[in-house]
Amino acid sequence: MFYNMRDTFHQSDFVEYFINNSPFTRLCLSFAVLHYIMSFLHVIAYDANKQLENLSSFYVNYILPYVKRRSSYTAVAAAVVVYFSYRVHKMSEIPKNLQHIPAVPYWPFMRSLLSGESIDHRTRNYILPVIANSPNGLYLRPVRRGWTVGVAGPATMKRLLLRADDFEKSPMFAKQDSLFNKFMGKENIVLLNGSVWKKHRMIANPAFHRSMPVKLFGRLCEKMMLRFEIEGDGLGNVDVANFLQRFTLDVIGLAAFGYDFEALDNPENEKVDTYNSIMAGIQSAVYFVFPILEKRFLWALPKRRDLYRKLDDMNEIFYSVIQHKRDTLASMKNSIEDTEKDLLTLMLEANEEAVDADHRLSNLELRDNLAIFFLAGHDTTSNALTFALYFLAANPHIQVKAREEVLDIMGDGDDVIFPTSTQCTDMKYVYMIMKETLRMCPPAVGTSPRRSNKDMDLVGTLIPEGTPLNADIYSMHHDPNIWKDPETFIPERFASRGESETKAGRGLAWAPFGNGARQCIGMNFSLAEQKVLLAMLLRRFTWELPEDSINKDGLKIGGGIGIMYAKDMHLKFTKRF
């Protein structure tokens, strides 16, 4: 409504229309203007500050002079609009105690975030120029409620990640009323601190060390390769991103708690649709930046409410599987080798072995940790694999070298062979490819928010108590002052005595899984999954980019909040036998 008026009315005409209508209409008009303020953050280009000044001037000169003489509805509506205008303005102001840290431009950065521009665009245009003038890789960037300190230097990254007691996980992240937080929960290994976090780690850590289901990875990879030939256009045009999303969803469902999503066999089924809809919903930038939409206006958002209902359905699945596992654990405890047991089973076994009830996890805590495993282990691994397949297609000489290593270890032929854990360990060059992929395209571009628990000196920069900090992994991995020719794919960086090793004394220059005590607990699980799939694909196929690929002249990247993915990644596969 407001957009149409903006085009057809002069400002004074709008004021007359505003004044001469009913109180309810005036209230609606004011909220329409409020909607415009929020929308302009989403779509207005780089002169956003000027636009905000014009809008404020319009209210001051044409609307507010009439407020005193009008009804209480008008006064309340105007007050609401003024309040939100003030809050938007305050969000863009850098706090005085952080003004010594270089900052990215607020409005262009937010416009880029909300309009869906890729992370490489924001990094190249807004972050790297600021970091170039920062002596230690610290900078300020906008978040949903003001500013956070971005950490993108090896020395500062090491201090942030290894000194967990100084930089605890921020509790504000768990307090938001949102679909994301409802899915992730509050009682999990990612968000908790102190002794409660240690309790969760003691239960989950042994489970991940005991579970490495390479046979499961191999079986599902074989199933996926067969689907390549019978779906769509066959091997000539394989939608690898889609297949890898389905593959990793089946892996995490079965490996985490023995639940079969059947994504490879039937990608259109209700279980897959429910999960994918929730994942797409929690990555929406608009709801992340404006959580008030879900907290106060969910009643007006039917599609968003439908996602909450789907999440309720998924939670029923979580709880029913947990209870079923509890009921059947005793009968099957020794019937499956540890490496092939699902994580929930192993966590329940560790739970039973805990010294007392205070050291055991409740069903709610188990559920929240399972949700984290899904969030951290599904999209991130599928995207990492998609990027790896792209880089092997775009660099055929690297693909040839990787295949030679796999054939030397596994042998050649048309028989179906799953690599063993030992064989995966022997694949040194494939591992270099994976590490270079994760440097160039870390699917999780940063870590969950932290905050300083006291005033401290962080590699020469004062960080006041309570300051939020985020590890900016992507920017660090692409900083030309840290990595030589960072936009070129060079697996040999990670060879013995290669470029990566020379950086060891400078801090943490490569950190796709974080580091320290709070390093991603599923790192080895994900790396093993990636090695099995890459080895089996290299043994069975060669592949290349189709001539009409949008990625032919360079990788096209998309992404939601905290996650990046390859756009429209189709590849042409050819059987080797």
Side-chain angles (χ1 to χ4, degrees):
M1 177 166 53
F2 181 77
Y3 298 107
N4 292 333
M5 288 183 224
R6 184 183 59 183
D7 295 333
T8 58
F9 287 132
H10 185 270
Q11 289 179 345
S12 58
D13 295 330
F14 176 81
V15 173
E16 182 178 355
Y17 182 85
F18 182 89
I19 294 167
N20 292 332
N21 265 287
S22 68
F24 178 75
T25 300
R26 293 197 294 271
L27 183 64
C28 291
L29 287 170
S30 293
F31 274 102
V33 174
L34 171 60
H35 173 71
Y36 168 68
I37 293 172
M38 298 178 71
S39 297
F40 107 96
L41 291 175
H42 195 123
V43 298
I44 292 297
Y46 295 96
D47 62 341
N49 274 318
K50 182 178 179 181
Q51 296 289 338
L52 185 59
E53 289 173 6
N54 290 341
L55 188 62
S56 300
S57 175
F58 172 58
Y59 263 86
V60 169
N61 295 323
Y62 291 95
I63 296 295
L64 296 184
Y66 293 92
V67 168
K68 291 191 230 178
R69 303 196 298 270
R70 302 299 154 185
S71 72
S72 59
Y73 288 101
T74 304
V76 169
V80 168
V81 172
V82 170
Y83 171 76
F84 277 98
S85 299
Y86 171 77
R87 294 301 302 169
V88 168
H89 174 68
K90 290 297 290 183
M91 281 194 304
S92 66
E93 285 191 333
I94 299 174
K96 290 182 179 179
N97 63 353
L98 296 177
Q99 290 180 358
H100 59 289
I101 302 174
V104 302
Y106 187 91
W107 294 113
F109 186 91
M110 292 298 286
R111 179 256 179 201
S112 175
L113 179 67
L114 293 170
S115 65
E117 287 181 336
S118 65
I119 186 171
D120 60 320
H121 175 89
R122 282 193 298 282
T123 300
R124 184 173 60 253
N125 289 282
Y126 307 129
I127 297 177
L128 288 180
V130 174
I131 293 175
N133 297 313
S134 172
N136 49 23
L138 295 179
Y139 71 99
L140 294 179
R141 75 165 183 255
V143 288
R144 66 170 79 178
R145 290 185 176 180
W147 298 84
T148 187
V149 175
V151 179
T156 48
M157 186 72 72
K158 181 177 180 178
R159 177 86 177 271
L160 176 72
L161 298 181
L162 268 59
R163 298 186 62 169
D165 292 339
D166 289 342
F167 302 101
E168 62 183 12
K169 293 299 182 82
S170 174
M172 287 187 63
F173 196 66
K175 292 180 180 179
Q176 302 293 334
D177 292 324
S178 67
L179 184 72
F180 178 87
N181 290 93
K182 186 174 181 182
F183 173 79
M184 187 170 62
K186 301 177 182 179
E187 304 296 327
N188 58 57
I189 199 170
V190 168
L191 295 177
L192 295 170
N193 292 295
S195 60
V196 183
W197 167 76
K198 291 179 181 177
K199 177 183 76 170
H200 285 247
R201 187 83 182 193
M202 288 180 65
I203 297 296
N205 211 37
F208 273 94
H209 281 292
R210 290 165 62 191
S211 177
M212 197 56 64
V214 290
K215 293 178 183 177
L216 172 65
F217 301 156
R219 288 195 302 271
L220 291 175
C221 183
E222 179 66 20
K223 180 185 288 188
M224 182 188 71
M225 292 190 296
L226 293 174
R227 303 297 299 186
F228 279 4
E229 300 184 52
I230 63 176
E231 290 190 23
D233 298 326
L235 294 177
N237 188 23
V238 177
D239 184 353
V240 293
N242 174 271
F243 275 108
L244 290 170
Q245 284 278 332
R246 291 156 58 187
F247 165 77
T248 54
L249 181 56
D250 279 349
V251 165
I252 198 65
L254 291 166
F257 66 137
Y259 183 77
D260 191 358
F261 280 94
E262 303 176 277
L264 284 171
D265 290 327
N266 182 15
E268 306 298 327
N269 75 64
E270 186 177 356
K271 294 180 288 187
V272 173
D273 176 70
T274 295
Y275 178 80
N276 287 338
S277 296
I278 293 169
M279 289 300 102
I282 67 176
Q283 294 179 36
S284 170
V286 172
Y287 291 100
F288 183 83
V289 175
F290 299 114
I292 193 173
L293 293 176
E294 289 183 284
K295 185 175 181 179
R296 302 297 186 194
F297 302 105
L298 190 61
W299 54 270
L301 303 166
K303 291 184 179 179
R304 200 69 178 173
R305 290 201 311 274
D306 184 58
L307 292 181
Y308 276 78
R309 286 191 289 269
K310 288 184 176 183
L311 182 52
D312 288 339
D313 294 338
M314 189 166 183
N315 278 333
E316 288 185 14
I317 294 172
F318 276 129
Y319 284 118
S320 65
V321 172
I322 290 171
Q323 190 57 50
H324 176 71
K325 291 284 184 182
R326 284 190 186 277
D327 294 341
T328 60
L329 180 59
S331 62
M332 54 80 68
K333 187 172 184 178
N334 298 313
S335 62
I336 303 174
E337 58 183 292
D338 275 0
T339 55
E340 295 296 321
K341 287 179 181 177
D342 62 67
L343 294 169
L344 176 59
T345 296
L346 292 169
M347 289 178 69
L348 287 171
E349 289 179 358
N351 226 24
E352 286 188 351
E353 295 167 3
V355 292
D356 54 52
D358 291 338
H359 290 81
R360 296 181 188 131
L361 301 183
S362 67
N363 279 1
L364 173 62
E365 291 171 320
L366 288 166
R367 177 262 167 225
D368 287 359
N369 280 298
L370 286 175
I372 286 295
F373 299 158
F374 270 83
L375 194 64
H378 172 229
D379 275 350
T380 52
T381 300
S382 69
N383 290 333
L385 284 165
T386 302
F387 290 129
L389 293 184
Y390 162 78
F391 287 122
L392 289 173
N395 300 277
H397 64 290
I398 296 175
Q399 184 181 153
V400 168
K401 187 174 179 179
R403 183 172 295 106
E404 289 173 352
E405 179 183 69
V406 169
L407 296 181
D408 183 58
I409 292 171
M410 295 179 62
D412 203 353
D414 61 358
D415 51 336
V416 177
I417 296 179
F418 304 155
T420 65
S421 294
T422 301
Q423 288 175 326
C424 287
T425 301
D426 292 338
M427 296 176 189
K428 308 298 184 184
Y429 190 66
V430 170
Y431 188 38
M432 293 180 210
I433 290 169
M434 291 161 51
K435 294 184 79 171
E436 176 68 344
T437 298
L438 293 168
R439 182 194 66 80
M440 291 195 70
C441 300
V445 300
T447 62
S448 55
R450 288 164 164 79
R451 70 174 182 181
S452 55
N453 59 16
K454 59 185 176 182
D455 290 349
M456 64 183 65
D457 179 279
L458 182 55
V459 193
T461 298
L462 174 64
I463 303 297
E465 180 180 359
T467 299
L469 302 99
N470 287 79
D472 186 351
I473 296 167
Y474 185 89
S475 295
M476 183 177 71
H477 285 184
H478 286 261
D479 189 342
N481 293 316
I482 298 174
W483 296 93
K484 298 175 184 177
D485 199 7
E487 303 309 317
T488 302
F489 188 78
I490 308 173
E492 287 76 11
R493 296 181 201 272
F494 296 93
S496 177
R497 295 186 295 277
E499 182 186 0
S500 178
E501 281 193 6
T502 66
K503 302 181 185 303
R506 296 177 56 188
L508 295 174
W510 184 83
F513 297 98
N515 207 292
R518 305 205 67 148
Q519 180 173 268
C520 174
I521 196 171
M523 178 182 73
N524 291 330
F525 184 97
S526 175
L527 292 174
E529 183 180 355
Q530 293 177 51
K531 276 189 179 180
V532 168
L533 183 136
L534 290 174
M536 292 183 68
L537 287 178
L538 285 164
R539 191 172 182 271
R540 179 77 60 88
F541 300 109
T542 63
W543 61 89
E544 59 187 337
L545 287 161
E547 287 300 322
D548 61 350
S549 172
I550 69 167
N551 296 287
K552 192 74 174 178
D553 298 321
L555 180 62
K556 303 298 186 294
I557 294 175
I561 295 298
I563 292 178
M564 59 185 296
Y565 60 83
K567 289 185 177 179
D568 195 24
M569 186 55 65
H570 289 71
L571 296 174
K572 179 182 178 181
F573 284 79
T574 302
K575 281 186 175 182
R576 296 187 57 251
F577 41 74

